[in-house]
Amino acid sequence: MIETGWVSILPPLIAIVLALVTKEVYSSLFLGVLSGMVIYVVSAQEPFMAVFSRIFDMMAQKIADNAYMIIFLALLWAVITLVGKSGGTAAYGRWAEKRLKNKRATLLTTALLGVLIFIDDGFNCLTIGTVMRPIYDRQRISREKLAYIIDATAAPICIIAPVSSWAVAVASEVSDTNGFQTFLSTVPYNLYALLTILMVAFVCITGLDFGKMRKAEERTQREGYTDTLTEEMDDEKESKGRVIDLVLPILVLIICAILGMAYVGGFFSGTPFSEAIGTNPTAGLSLGAFAGLVTAFLLYIPRKIMKPKAFAGNIVSGIGSIVPPMLILILSWTLGGVCRELIGTGEFISGFIASSNVPLQLLPFVVFVIAALMSFSMGTSWGTFGLLIPIVTMICSATAGAELLIPTLGATLAGSVYGDHCSPISDTTILASTGAQCEHIRHVETQIPYATLTAVVCAVGYLIIGFTNMPWIGLAVSAVLLIGAMLILHKFAKPKEA
């Protein structure tokens, strides 16, 4: 890796700004990767033609590093396609519509499922999006709202859940004999995660929206998703599908995914469960997705819902449909690799903390802001807190700020999740828009105002915590500010017509 200074922040900025301005993700990400490689090759004094060679080397490396994720997504989308073609999704939609009679019930059910599926954020987004999307379309609730709820109950839940792949990742980064206990101690200080859950509950219960989300809701109420509804009605006429054709494969997938993560991590050989599920979670998820695929085969073929040839064809069709979002993921992984491994974007930003003379009382606030900027620019919360946690620990241990270690670690995790939550190049953001089948940039545009509002009141909370070291005071003040701001924005911040 080469130290390139402030220019190291240009590649992610180029990708993010272009994506937001042009509404086109693929070329924006590629130009971000290209600019990063140009910076690296010029700094390393390599031949200019090495730019393109290194781009594909990095891309191949990231595909290899994330091979299990690619396998999992391919298998999962095959299962999703099969349950749709079986008529199970349409049957579930009819069944749920009789019980979820209004918008509030549907939104709250989505949020509850998000809280319950806390093992892995990507799995959360794709599974809940698949189950709930037909109901949203029938009730004319925007897919932007679905994408926001599943995204806002993915990483924010995983980062405070004691049994999740995220908990293990955080605990492993803490240079402490009891890293897991340190992780648990940060939960009350993780204001962004806690207030995001409050924000979701408030939006679901009151139905109040503002900005582009409000515009998306009004558009969907007028226009709906006619193509989806027509397709589902055609499926209903031709299909023998029942609710069990959706529920059983998905249920088997969830159970076997959890067991698969435990198995891969060595739980059945004596490793504690909380550690086992974080060892190689995507390998375990792949086992679960394959089990769901086998369950679908045993459920559909004997009942002649599908012929073997149609079953195989739907698998291929399902894998094909995940290629566009998969390309976004590969490009974002590549951009992240360039920033972290070649030009030192994270080291440059995190070095700012180590070299700055910040008053100790402001440390949680400053770390929250910097973690947010790092995570937003790199598109990864794990990479961000992986860089910052050792620095924060060092700073607090070397000064009189040892009592601020836990609050500052909480701020590190909170800022990391916020940046990841609203970054267009974050894999969780991409998977949320994929699960909801919402245009990616629309999801980003409608989610950023909600996430940023939450982050702003969190920043106020961290200022309070820095001076009082009392998390509940900071959380209470931030919560009041959040609810008040939502009420004001709903009343006065009306969306502009396109």
Side-chain angles (χ1 to χ4, degrees), residues 173 340 345-347 350 374 378 382-392:
E173 296 289 349
R340 291 193 301 274
T345 304
E347 280 73 8
S350 59
M374 285 180 62
M378 295 195 299
W382 286 35
T384 299
F385 62 65
L387 283 167
L388 285 183
I389 286 177
I391 295 173
V392 167

Side-chain angles (χ1 to χ4, degrees), residues 220-239:
T220 305
Q221 283 294 318
R222 292 193 309 267
E223 303 172 8
Y225 290 97
T226 307
D227 56 332
T228 307
L229 293 173
T230 303
E231 183 180 320
E232 285 185 3
M233 289 170 63
D234 292 341
D235 285 344
E236 290 174 22
K237 293 176 182 177
E238 300 174 4
S239 174

Side-chain angles (χ1 to χ4, degrees), residues 88-430:
T89 302
Y92 172 80
R94 295 193 301 272
W95 175 85
E97 193 173 27
K98 295 176 182 178
R99 290 155 179 82
L100 302 176
K101 297 183 181 297
N102 55 55
K103 179 178 178 179
R104 180 184 298 174
T106 300
L107 295 175
L108 286 172
T109 299
T110 309
L112 179 61
L113 288 172
V115 172
L116 293 176
I117 303 178
F118 52 78
I119 294 293
D120 183 79
D121 54 330
F123 182 50
N124 176 312
C125 292
L126 292 173
T127 304
I128 299 171
T130 301
V131 171
M132 297 304 296
R133 189 179 60 251
I135 307 170
Y136 276 65
D137 289 353
R138 287 172 179 270
Q139 295 186 357
R140 293 178 179 264
I141 307 172
S142 71
R143 292 183 182 178
E144 289 89 339
K145 177 64 71 65
L146 173 60
Y148 167 69
I149 293 176
I150 60 179
D151 204 350
T153 53
I157 289 293
C158 292
I159 199 65
I160 60 175
V163 182
S164 72
S165 54
W166 288 57
V168 176
V170 174
S172 66
E173 296 289 349
V174 179
S175 56
D176 192 305
T177 54
N178 195 343
F180 189 71
Q181 185 60 46
T182 302
F183 163 76
L184 291 178
S185 300
T186 66
V187 172
Y189 295 94
N190 196 329
L191 300 188
Y192 183 78
L194 298 172
L195 290 175
T196 295
I197 297 167
L198 174 64
M199 171 74 113
V200 169
F202 180 82
V203 169
C204 292
I205 293 170
T206 64
L208 300 182
D209 292 299
F210 67 91
K212 291 191 175 183
M213 183 70 80
R214 184 173 176 178
K215 183 177 178 180
E217 287 290 285
E218 292 171 352
R219 184 194 67 244
T220 305
Q221 283 294 318
R222 292 193 309 267
E223 303 172 8
Y225 290 97
T226 307
D227 56 332
T228 307
L229 293 173
T230 303
E231 183 180 320
E232 285 185 3
M233 289 170 63
D234 292 341
D235 285 344
E236 290 174 22
K237 293 176 182 177
E238 300 174 4
S239 174
K240 304 175 184 177
R242 296 180 295 179
V243 173
I244 194 173
D245 294 322
L246 177 139
V247 172
L248 188 58
I250 296 296
L251 186 62
V252 169
L253 189 154
I254 292 172
I255 294 172
C256 290
I258 296 171
L259 292 175
M261 286 190 287
Y263 170 75
V264 170
F267 171 70
F268 299 104
S269 302
T271 304
F273 181 78
S274 60
E275 295 179 15
I277 62 170
T279 302
N280 190 352
T282 49
L285 292 173
S286 299
L287 292 175
F290 182 72
L293 195 64
V294 172
T295 303
F297 181 86
L298 297 176
L299 196 59
Y300 303 159
I301 299 299
R303 290 164 53 211
K304 298 183 179 180
I305 289 179
M306 290 181 195
K307 294 181 180 179
K309 184 177 181 180
F311 188 91
N314 286 326
I315 292 176
V316 174
S317 174
I319 294 174
S321 65
I322 199 67
V323 170
M326 184 65 69
L327 180 56
I328 298 176
L329 273 176
I330 291 171
L331 287 170
S332 68
W333 290 334
T334 306
L335 178 59
V338 172
C339 292
R340 291 193 301 274
E341 300 167 26
L342 296 183
I343 61 176
T345 304
E347 280 73 8
F348 170 73
I349 300 175
S350 59
F352 173 80
I353 299 179
S355 61
S356 62
N357 296 316
V358 177
L360 293 178
Q361 291 81 0
L362 296 180
L363 195 59
F365 168 79
V366 172
V367 168
F368 173 74
V369 173
I370 292 178
L373 292 173
M374 285 180 62
S375 185
F376 184 81
S377 62
M378 295 195 299
T380 168
S381 50
W382 286 35
T384 299
F385 62 65
L387 283 167
L388 285 183
I389 286 177
I391 295 173
V392 167
T393 304
M394 176 189 68
I395 292 173
C396 291
S397 299
T399 65
E403 68 276 6
L404 287 175
L405 174 62
I406 299 301
T408 309
L409 287 176
T412 305
L413 301 180
S416 300
V417 172
Y418 161 66
D420 179 89
H421 190 195
C422 56
S423 174
I425 61 175
S426 159
D427 54 357
T428 310
T429 309
I430 295 166

Side-chain angles (χ1 to χ4, degrees), residues 47-66:
F48 188 76
M49 286 303 296
V51 168
F52 301 99
S53 173
R54 283 196 170 274
I55 285 176
F56 294 112
D57 285 346
M58 179 63 73
M59 194 174 293
Q61 176 189 327
K62 291 304 166 185
I63 291 173
D65 291 345
N66 294 278

Side-chain angles (χ1 to χ4, degrees), residues 433-497:
S433 56
T434 302
Q437 290 195 8
C438 170
E439 186 179 338
H440 181 57
I441 292 301
R442 280 190 176 181
H443 170 45
V444 173
E445 289 178 335
T446 51
Q447 176 164 270
I448 281 180
Y450 284 46
T452 301
L453 173 61
T454 307
V456 169
V457 299
C458 284
V460 175
Y462 283 120
L463 287 173
I464 295 171
I465 288 174
F467 287 94
T468 66
N469 202 11
M470 295 182 180
W472 305 116
I473 295 178
L475 180 62
V477 172
S478 299
V480 171
L481 291 174
L482 179 63
I483 301 301
M486 276 295 293
L487 293 171
I488 293 170
L489 287 170
H490 174 76
K491 185 174 182 179
F492 296 107
K494 294 184 179 180
K496 297 179 180 179
E497 293 299 326

